[in-house]
Amino acid sequence: KDDRRLGFSAIDSGKYMHRIMELYVQKRMETGKYVPADKNETEAEINAITEQYINQIMPEKPSKRLEKLIGRLKNAALFVCDSINNEFSCSGFVPIGFEVKIGTGGVAAPLLTTQKGRKVTTVGYIDRLDSALINGKRYIRVADYKSSTHSFNSREVENGEKMQMLSYLFSYCDAAEDGAVPAGVLYRSFTLPDGEEYGSQTGLVLDEPYVRSAMDSTGVHIKKAEKASAERIEQLKEQVY
């Protein structure tokens, strides 16, 4: 086979993993609550989604080299889906949206004016949107899938870096009519980590005990995320806006 003709690029790999996450988590939410699947069921679903996706982008049978790549991606997908099952088994947050559009044609985003007088607005998609009702308030969390490891430090936001997911979070909460509260942003890597890092994610979470407990009763999944007070998150919002 000509691998250039039947190539599976980095972009295809990212789309594949995002598609797996979207369809898999949607199925877990069919009852309105997150219902974890065992490994056998998870593997069967990943195999089915993979076959459908590969047939769409590769009408001919992939080469052995590409089959090995697809096999590695399936193993990564199995790990991530198993980790997500574990996470939502100990979380009060549930997914409420996938590929949520922010900006034109989607959730309204603020129109901002730069120092040079230019008008700009936020446009993009949230990979997954999670929500939890805590003490009568709705808290919102943005989940972003990454093909490689991703670090986060709020000081970078102050320097005008890594603002994208926070801008999505703030735009969604500002547009919500129920006074939604920003609970944080989490980045989940598709890279297979060492066992000691199982399921851990980077990002930023609201440093309120009841919110942290609702987000992850074990603390494992958010142990690497930066903790920030409500005041600190408001300061970051001012930096983003």
Side-chain angles (χ1 to χ4, degrees):
K1 299 292 184 181
D2 184 348
D3 285 348
R4 290 173 298 177
R5 182 162 53 90
L6 296 178
F8 198 76
S9 68
I11 293 176
D12 291 325
S13 299
K15 287 182 177 179
Y16 162 76
M17 293 296 288
H18 278 76
R19 187 62 173 161
I20 288 281
M21 298 304 106
E22 180 180 356
L23 294 179
Y24 182 81
V25 177
Q26 279 182 341
K27 189 171 181 61
R28 305 279 73 74
M29 289 296 299
E30 285 180 344
T31 64
K33 296 190 297 183
Y34 192 93
V35 180
D38 61 32
K39 287 192 175 182
N40 290 334
E41 186 179 357
T42 296
E43 186 173 7
E45 289 184 22
I46 290 174
N47 287 338
I49 297 171
T50 300
E51 182 178 0
Q52 181 186 44
Y53 183 81
I54 296 303
N55 288 338
Q56 288 176 346
I57 66 171
M58 296 182 189
E60 300 180 41
K61 181 178 174 60
S63 66
K64 290 185 178 180
R65 183 185 69 85
L66 290 174
E67 284 182 341
K68 289 182 179 179
L69 170 60
I70 293 167
R72 290 197 295 270
L73 289 172
K74 286 167 64 175
N75 286 337
L78 181 60
F79 172 86
V80 175
C81 288
D82 187 47
S83 179
I84 288 175
N85 279 329
N86 186 282
E87 176 186 3
F88 281 112
S89 294
C90 55
S91 177
F93 280 75
V94 294
I96 61 170
F98 307 90
E99 294 298 315
V100 178
K101 188 174 184 179
I102 300 294
T104 307
V107 175
L111 184 64
L112 308 176
T113 303
T114 67
Q115 291 180 343
K116 295 183 178 180
R118 295 178 179 177
K119 300 293 183 181
V120 296
T121 189
T122 298
V123 178
Y125 289 86
I126 298 172
D127 287 343
R128 195 187 75 229
L129 194 67
D130 303 333
S131 174
L133 187 64
I134 306 171
N135 298 331
K137 294 182 180 180
R138 188 163 73 101
Y139 289 82
I140 297 296
R141 177 178 71 183
V142 165
D144 190 47
Y145 300 130
K146 292 294 183 184
S147 57
S148 59
T149 55
H150 185 82
S151 63
F152 179 87
N153 188 312
S154 62
R155 292 182 180 178
E156 294 175 294
V157 177
E158 295 176 349
N159 295 327
E161 302 173 4
K162 298 187 178 179
M163 301 168 67
Q164 184 180 16
M165 292 303 120
L166 283 175
S167 70
Y168 292 170
L169 174 66
F170 297 142
S171 293
Y172 182 89
C173 289
D174 286 351
E177 298 179 352
D178 59 357
V181 180
V185 172
L186 290 178
Y187 299 91
R188 179 178 289 279
S189 171
F190 294 146
T191 303
L192 292 174
D194 297 331
E196 63 180 8
E197 297 179 351
Y198 178 86
S200 184
Q201 301 167 94
T202 59
L204 180 82
V205 298
L206 178 60
D207 192 18
E208 297 286 354
Y210 48 86
V211 174
R212 293 201 315 271
S213 178
M215 196 173 290
D216 179 9
S217 61
T218 67
V220 170
H221 297 278
I222 60 172
K223 69 177 183 179
K224 287 189 173 183
E226 182 178 335
K227 313 305 185 294
S229 66
E231 291 75 19
R232 175 58 174 161
I233 290 180
E234 187 62 30
Q235 289 175 356
L236 292 174
K237 182 177 178 179
E238 292 178 2
Q239 290 288 333
V240 171
Y241 283 178

